[in-house]
Amino acid sequence: MLMRKTCAVLLLIPLILVSQSKVEIANQFKDKGLESLYSYTLLQELTVTVGSRLSGSKNYEKAVQWGKKTLQNIGCDSVWLEPVMVPHWVRGEVEEAFTVNGKVKKKLSICALGGSIGTPKKGITGDLIEVRSFEEVAALGIKAKGKIIFYNRPFDATKVSTGEAYGGAVNQRSRGAIEAARVGAAAVLVRSMTNAIDDEPHTGMMNYNDSIPKIPAAAISTVGANYLHDQLQTKKSVTVEIRLSCVTLSDVPSSNVIGEIKGSEVPNEVILIGGHLDSWDKGQGAHDDGSGVVQSIEVLRLIKELNLRPKRTIRTVLFANEENGLKGGRTYASDYNGKKFEHIVAIESDFGGFAPLGFGVSADSIKFEKIKSFSSLLEIVGADRIKRGGGGADIGPLAASGTAMIGLNPDSQKYFDYHHSNHDTIDKVHPRELELGAIAMAILSWAIGEEGLK
Amino acid sequence: MLMRKTCAVLLLIPLILVSQSKVEIANQFKDKGLESLYSYTLLQELTVTVGSRLSGSKNYEKAVQWGKKTLQNIGCDSVWLEPVMVPHWVRGEVEEAFTVNGKVKKKLSICALGGSIGTPKKGITGDLIEVRSFEEVAALGIKAKGKIIFYNRPFDATKVSTGEAYGGAVNQRSRGAIEAARVGAAAVLVRSMTNAIDDEPHTGMMNYNDSIPKIPAAAISTVGANYLHDQLQTKKSVTVEIRLSCVTLSDVPSSNVIGEIKGSEVPNEVILIGGHLDSWDKGQGAHDDGSGVVQSIEVLRLIKELNLRPKRTIRTVLFANEENGLKGGRTYASDYNGKKFEHIVAIESDFGGFAPLGFGVSADSIKFEKIKSFSSLLEIVGADRIKRGGGGADIGPLAASGTAMIGLNPDSQKYFDYHHSNHDTIDKVHPRELELGAIAMAILSWAIGEEGLK
């Protein structure tokens, strides 16, 4: 009995030492992070000095240079650019829509959806048909011919997770033009993807199907959508005129930006952390995904600031082209997967720089439980909710080779108020909330770097 | 073996039924709440129509009438006013301060602290001494005579809970004038109680000790405090001139506002929910504590909206005078405690209308575990963190008679950016975050109403 006790005590000693040291380091990440709020300084540089950074734009290339220089400045062991070919869609000068009633025109707040073709210069004019589902569109049949289809299914307000509400509405934006064109419509207007009721349109990616005619697609503000809905209740018909000058040019060469701190013991095992460096051309891409970019840089900076070296390699990737093509994530996976090193885990931050609540994890049970075992460390910054299911668009292509996928889960209530719109600016980001997310990522990356996932 | 299994199944059936019904009701609270966002509508009425509502002001009495009418409109079984005598402090027209350098004056952003005496009409002029602790003040001794003591200990940025950071700094505001007057100082300036660096001063209560001279006390913005600190680093002396016209008048009669839904089975057991109806005279008291007020009303409205009747009585109390006297909470406890009914629990919301994370509980282990057992219901709105320690100032006086104390814990990062200042306005409150807090309170009140705490 005595001997067994002694053994237990002896066995516990190294465990406690390791564990105390992780607690101490987690607290140092917290203290250094909250004292400096450095991720906010970085976000100011990215949003104010560079600004919005759509794939293919000059601004995106400025952001690449900023990212490279910043990763070099914080003292990464290596920093490099990975070539990626990206789409080049340009919004153009003209995007406007009106309701037309004889000679009276009323302006609507719209913006082209990303990837949309433009209209003829004189615009497209047609009667509006309001729908809430693709079934309704299909049922229109011949009646849809030459009409403007108005998708007006709102976010489900009863979903506590706004991401879930987005998931339940976004096919109107991504596939609405295809389904409307299938029945001969001339254009589509899509209710903006947000819970907020205001006059700001929210852009975002839309798709075409090569076997179906391409028709222009625009987002309308929720106030505008409610107005059109009310008009359709009271009038026999509502005519809308839309003009867009957006255009898709040839693909252009661009880059992912990569920086890493080499592992001291198992350097070929890589913990990837990242966000996407591109944004839409509205606002400043402050939450989406400037926040994920600066948090991913801040993780490495905190490690350097504390003069630490992880056992495994921790690599920050600032991905190109998440918003309209995912070429950055796909190219990264194809270039690096199954090469000399193994991505044991990839952690993405792409739900905004709000107060972190925890992480969503897609991994097998053993890895999941291992990651969950770090929740007492993450509790230091209130980010201890480890739930099943999560990841990120950019890291998604790595999943095929067994990499554990992790997504930072911040509070979600305000994200879609700003997302893909002129409202996504740095004044909507709170310095401490942003930094707490970075610290949570640092704690988790460091812990996995020390212990691995096996 | 078989028989034991059967017994277990039989025993489980009623438990599951009750529990499913609570889950269903919790989900209905969520759906009805998030669809209506009614607590935000109420907050608009309170903040925009009534405005700020300092104890003793006409606006506070307007708020009383609004609260009474609102509780009547939602269909409470009884609504009444409870008389309370409250202090009557008035800010006055003049509150200004300058650094004085020969003929050059530079204006500082200050405001009188609540309860402060005014200065003579010509003001108080004195050299500034910066301190960070009462020990430093005491050590000044005779050097402090006639000087203006400048308390400049900032919030500890490394505290994740901003409430803890506040707790570590606020004695400068509450007791600073007493300790400075003890060594003969003429006035005090106190760094505003906030993490934010901006030019807005934050007011709040200060105290005097009858055996020590009363000296004027004002808060200075954090930008102003940093400026004074820098000046003191570079100059031999910094002279400041302060003028305040605030004054304390005689106590006035006022009211707590109370409404309740009677319990169907154990009506003498009361679940009290509440917040304080008074606010400081800066801003609109939107987060502090308009949010707690409207959430406490919304709980009863949701119950009525779903046509439910709780087994125990659920009572909403809108307390008077939390900010500068706590007369509402004290009078309530003395009027009602140990009377015909028993307050089994009191739940206060007074940390702002931000996304709810959970509740803090001060109660014995049996009650604590019982409350904790409802966390799976609270998880529906992400408010499942049940921690030891919590309550609220207004309900505090009930603790003496064994009432379990519960405080709603929302995300704390932004609270002190707005607290007690002109920044505390309704545009800082997010309709969904506010409503989620109300729903969390409804779920918890309902569950305790059904099961009690024994």
Side-chain angles (χ1 to χ4, degrees):
Chain A
M1 190 76 169
L2 182 67
M3 203 172 134
R4 279 178 67 191
K5 258 193 182 166
T6 315
C7 283
V9 169
L10 285 175
L11 279 169
L12 277 172
I13 288 171
L15 199 68
I16 289 168
L17 282 180
V18 167
S19 149
Q20 275 189 334
S21 139
K22 276 211 299 294
V23 171
E24 272 162 32
I25 287 171
N27 274 300
Q28 286 171 26
F29 284 147
K30 168 181 77 69
D31 292 350
K32 290 287 177 191
L34 287 175
E35 275 164 6
S36 73
L37 301 178
Y38 197 72
S39 43
Y40 193 76
T41 303
L42 291 175
L43 192 60
Q44 284 176 309
E45 290 177 16
L46 180 61
T47 57
V48 181
T49 315
V50 177
S52 76
R53 41 202 184 276
L54 186 58
S55 290
S57 69
K58 279 189 187 159
N59 253 17
Y60 181 79
E61 298 311 314
K62 267 211 235 173
V64 166
Q65 293 311 314
W66 170 86
K68 185 180 167 191
K69 198 189 71 192
T70 304
L71 285 164
Q72 284 168 337
N73 287 348
I74 63 170
C76 285
D77 294 326
S78 342
V79 176
W80 70 100
L81 303 185
E82 178 193 6
V84 181
M85 287 299 290
V86 299
H88 189 196
W89 177 81
V90 178
R91 183 171 299 281
E93 299 275 300
V94 183
E95 51 183 10
E96 53 184 22
F98 305 88
T99 53
V100 183
N101 192 353
K103 284 189 178 172
V104 181
K105 285 187 179 186
K106 185 187 146 60
K107 198 172 167 81
L108 302 166
S109 274
I110 67 141
C111 68
L113 290 178
S116 176
I117 60 167
T119 63
K121 212 164 183 180
K122 61 171 184 150
I124 289 176
T125 304
D127 282 354
L128 206 65
I129 301 180
E130 179 176 350
V131 295
R132 298 210 163 197
S133 70
F134 295 147
E135 291 69 29
E136 283 181 59
V137 175
L140 288 173
I142 193 77
K143 277 187 245 166
K145 200 168 162 56
K147 300 293 197 301
I148 296 174
I149 301 297
F150 165 39
Y151 288 98
N152 195 27
R153 185 168 84 252
F155 269 29
D156 180 348
T158 70
K159 298 284 186 204
V160 173
S161 154
T162 62
E164 259 185 66
Y166 179 72
V170 74
N171 69 349
Q172 300 173 100
R173 189 190 78 203
S174 57
R175 206 151 60 88
I178 294 173
E179 300 306 324
R182 211 188 282 280
V183 288
V188 299
L189 271 184
V190 183
R191 181 186 181 92
S192 283
M193 295 295 132
T194 179
N195 268 313
I197 304 298
D198 61 26
D199 208 21
E200 182 65 32
H202 296 237
T203 191
M205 191 54 184
M206 54 79 66
N207 300 292
Y208 290 122
N209 179 326
D210 283 340
S211 63
I212 293 169
K214 296 180 178 182
I215 60 174
I220 181 165
S221 71
T222 49
V223 160
N226 290 351
Y227 171 79
L228 290 181
H229 174 81
D230 291 347
Q231 290 290 301
L232 286 164
Q233 300 303 300
T234 53
K235 299 210 166 120
K236 234 179 83 185
S237 72
V238 174
T239 305
V240 168
E241 180 184 315
I242 304 177
R243 242 185 313 277
L244 303 175
S245 65
C246 45
V247 62
T248 298
L249 307 174
S250 303
D251 288 4
V252 296
S254 186
S255 317
N256 291 330
V257 185
I258 307 173
E260 70 180 21
I261 300 176
K262 205 80 163 174
S264 60
E265 295 185 12
V266 204
N268 64 321
E269 290 195 7
V270 172
I271 289 112
L272 185 154
I273 50 181
H276 60 85
L277 188 55
D278 67 309
S279 75
W280 281 105
D281 53 344
K282 297 275 180 187
Q284 302 171 327
H287 278 292
D288 186 14
D289 183 25
S291 292
V293 163
V294 299
Q295 287 170 331
S296 301
I297 298 171
E298 176 68 350
V299 171
L300 299 188
R301 190 195 71 85
L302 285 169
I303 291 169
K304 294 299 289 184
E305 164 101 9
L306 295 181
N307 216 5
L308 297 170
R309 180 160 293 279
K311 289 185 183 160
R312 289 164 181 79
T313 296
I314 302 185
R315 176 183 295 176
T316 286
V317 184
L318 313 180
F319 290 96
N321 185 230
E322 189 270 350
E323 294 294 5
N324 57 340
L326 212 62
K327 292 293 170 65
R330 287 187 183 135
T331 304
Y332 181 88
S334 112
D335 281 355
Y336 292 112
N337 230 353
K339 292 292 176 340
K340 282 172 288 179
F341 44 82
E342 179 198 358
H343 292 90
I344 60 170
V345 65
I347 307 173
E348 180 152 5
S349 165
D350 188 19
F351 296 109
F354 305 94
L357 299 175
F359 292 89
V361 178
S362 300
D364 65 39
S365 294
I366 293 169
K367 289 178 184 163
F368 179 81
E369 291 305 327
K370 182 78 188 172
I371 291 161
K372 199 163 180 179
S373 75
F374 301 130
S375 61
S376 62
L377 293 171
L378 291 165
E379 202 181 350
I380 293 171
V381 288
D384 52 324
R385 288 183 184 159
I386 307 298
K387 296 194 170 169
R388 282 192 183 278
D394 297 293
I395 60 176
L398 290 172
S401 47
T403 303
M405 299 278 115
I406 303 185
L408 176 67
N409 284 336
D411 183 273
S412 79
Q413 295 310 315
K414 297 199 188 87
Y415 187 54
F416 293 98
D417 295 2
Y418 313 137
H419 185 249
H420 295 185
S421 82
N422 285 321
H423 288 159
D424 189 8
T425 48
I426 188 156
D427 54 305
K428 311 305 189 316
V429 181
H430 192 267
R432 286 175 55 89
E433 293 182 0
L434 178 71
E435 188 72 30
L436 286 167
I439 297 165
M441 289 169 73
I443 292 171
L444 184 56
S445 312
W446 180 260
I448 300 175
E450 288 296 283
E451 299 199 4
L453 280 185
K454 278 163 193 165
Chain B
M1 190 72 171
L2 182 67
M3 204 172 133
R4 280 178 67 191
K5 256 193 182 165
T6 315
C7 282
V9 167
L10 284 176
L11 278 169
L12 276 173
I13 286 171
L15 199 70
I16 289 169
L17 282 180
V18 169
S19 145
Q20 274 190 334
S21 140
K22 277 210 299 296
V23 171
E24 272 162 32
I25 288 170
N27 274 300
Q28 286 170 27
F29 285 147
K30 168 181 76 68
D31 292 350
K32 290 287 179 192
L34 287 175
E35 275 164 6
S36 73
L37 301 178
Y38 197 71
S39 43
Y40 194 75
T41 302
L42 291 175
L43 192 60
Q44 285 176 308
E45 291 177 16
L46 180 60
T47 57
V48 181
T49 316
V50 177
S52 76
R53 40 202 185 276
L54 185 58
S55 290
S57 69
K58 280 190 187 157
N59 252 18
Y60 181 79
E61 298 310 314
K62 267 209 235 173
V64 166
Q65 293 311 314
W66 170 86
K68 185 180 167 192
K69 198 189 70 191
T70 303
L71 285 164
Q72 284 168 337
N73 287 349
I74 63 169
C76 286
D77 294 326
S78 342
V79 176
W80 70 100
L81 303 185
E82 179 193 7
V84 181
M85 287 300 289
V86 299
H88 189 195
W89 177 80
V90 177
R91 183 170 298 280
E93 299 275 300
V94 183
E95 51 182 10
E96 54 184 21
F98 307 87
T99 53
V100 183
N101 192 352
K103 284 189 179 170
V104 181
K105 286 187 178 186
K106 186 187 145 61
K107 198 173 167 76
L108 302 167
S109 276
I110 67 140
C111 67
L113 290 178
S116 175
I117 60 167
T119 63
K121 212 161 182 181
K122 61 170 183 151
I124 289 175
T125 303
D127 281 355
L128 206 64
I129 301 182
E130 179 176 350
V131 296
R132 298 209 165 199
S133 71
F134 295 145
E135 291 69 30
E136 284 181 58
V137 176
L140 289 173
I142 193 76
K143 278 187 244 163
K145 200 166 163 59
K147 300 293 197 301
I148 295 174
I149 301 298
F150 165 39
Y151 286 99
N152 195 26
R153 185 167 84 252
F155 269 30
D156 180 348
T158 69
K159 299 284 185 201
V160 173
S161 154
T162 62
E164 259 186 65
Y166 179 72
V170 74
N171 67 349
Q172 300 173 100
R173 190 191 76 203
S174 57
R175 207 150 60 88
I178 295 173
E179 300 305 325
R182 212 189 282 279
V183 288
V188 299
L189 271 183
V190 184
R191 183 186 179 93
S192 284
M193 296 293 132
T194 179
N195 268 313
I197 303 298
D198 61 28
D199 208 22
E200 182 65 32
H202 295 237
T203 190
M205 191 54 185
M206 54 79 65
N207 300 292
Y208 289 122
N209 179 326
D210 283 341
S211 63
I212 293 169
K214 295 181 177 180
I215 60 173
I220 180 165
S221 71
T222 49
V223 160
N226 290 351
Y227 171 78
L228 291 181
H229 174 81
D230 291 347
Q231 290 291 302
L232 286 163
Q233 299 304 300
T234 53
K235 297 206 167 124
K236 234 178 84 182
S237 72
V238 174
T239 305
V240 168
E241 179 185 317
I242 304 177
R243 241 185 312 279
L244 304 175
S245 65
C246 45
V247 63
T248 298
L249 307 175
S250 303
D251 288 4
V252 296
S254 186
S255 318
N256 291 329
V257 184
I258 307 174
E260 70 179 22
I261 300 176
K262 205 78 162 176
S264 60
E265 294 184 12
V266 204
N268 64 320
E269 290 196 7
V270 172
I271 289 111
L272 184 154
I273 50 181
H276 61 86
L277 188 55
D278 68 308
S279 75
W280 282 105
D281 53 343
K282 298 275 181 189
Q284 302 172 326
H287 277 292
D288 186 14
D289 183 25
S291 293
V293 164
V294 299
Q295 287 169 330
S296 301
I297 298 171
E298 176 69 349
V299 171
L300 298 188
R301 191 195 70 86
L302 285 169
I303 291 170
K304 295 297 291 183
E305 164 101 9
L306 294 180
N307 215 6
L308 298 169
R309 179 160 292 277
K311 289 186 184 160
R312 288 164 182 79
T313 297
I314 301 184
R315 176 182 295 176
T316 286
V317 183
L318 314 180
F319 291 95
N321 184 231
E322 189 270 348
E323 294 293 3
N324 58 339
L326 212 62
K327 293 294 171 65
R330 288 189 183 133
T331 304
Y332 181 89
S334 113
D335 282 354
Y336 292 112
N337 229 353
K339 292 293 177 339
K340 283 172 289 181
F341 44 81
E342 179 197 357
H343 292 91
I344 60 171
V345 65
I347 306 172
E348 180 151 5
S349 165
D350 188 18
F351 296 109
F354 305 94
L357 298 175
F359 292 89
V361 178
S362 300
D364 64 37
S365 292
I366 293 169
K367 288 178 185 164
F368 179 80
E369 290 306 326
K370 181 79 187 173
I371 291 160
K372 199 163 179 178
S373 75
F374 301 131
S375 61
S376 63
L377 294 171
L378 292 165
E379 201 181 350
I380 293 171
V381 288
D384 53 324
R385 287 182 185 161
I386 308 298
K387 296 194 171 171
R388 284 192 183 278
D394 298 293
I395 60 176
L398 290 172
S401 47
T403 303
M405 299 279 116
I406 303 185
L408 177 67
N409 284 337
D411 183 273
S412 80
Q413 295 310 315
K414 298 197 188 86
Y415 187 54
F416 293 98
D417 294 2
Y418 313 138
H419 186 248
H420 295 184
S421 83
N422 284 323
H423 287 159
D424 188 8
T425 47
I426 188 155
D427 54 304
K428 310 304 190 317
V429 181
H430 193 266
R432 285 175 57 87
E433 293 182 359
L434 179 70
E435 188 72 30
L436 286 168
I439 297 165
M441 289 170 74
I443 292 172
L444 184 57
S445 313
W446 180 260
I448 300 175
E450 287 296 283
E451 300 199 5
L453 280 186
K454 281 163 191 166

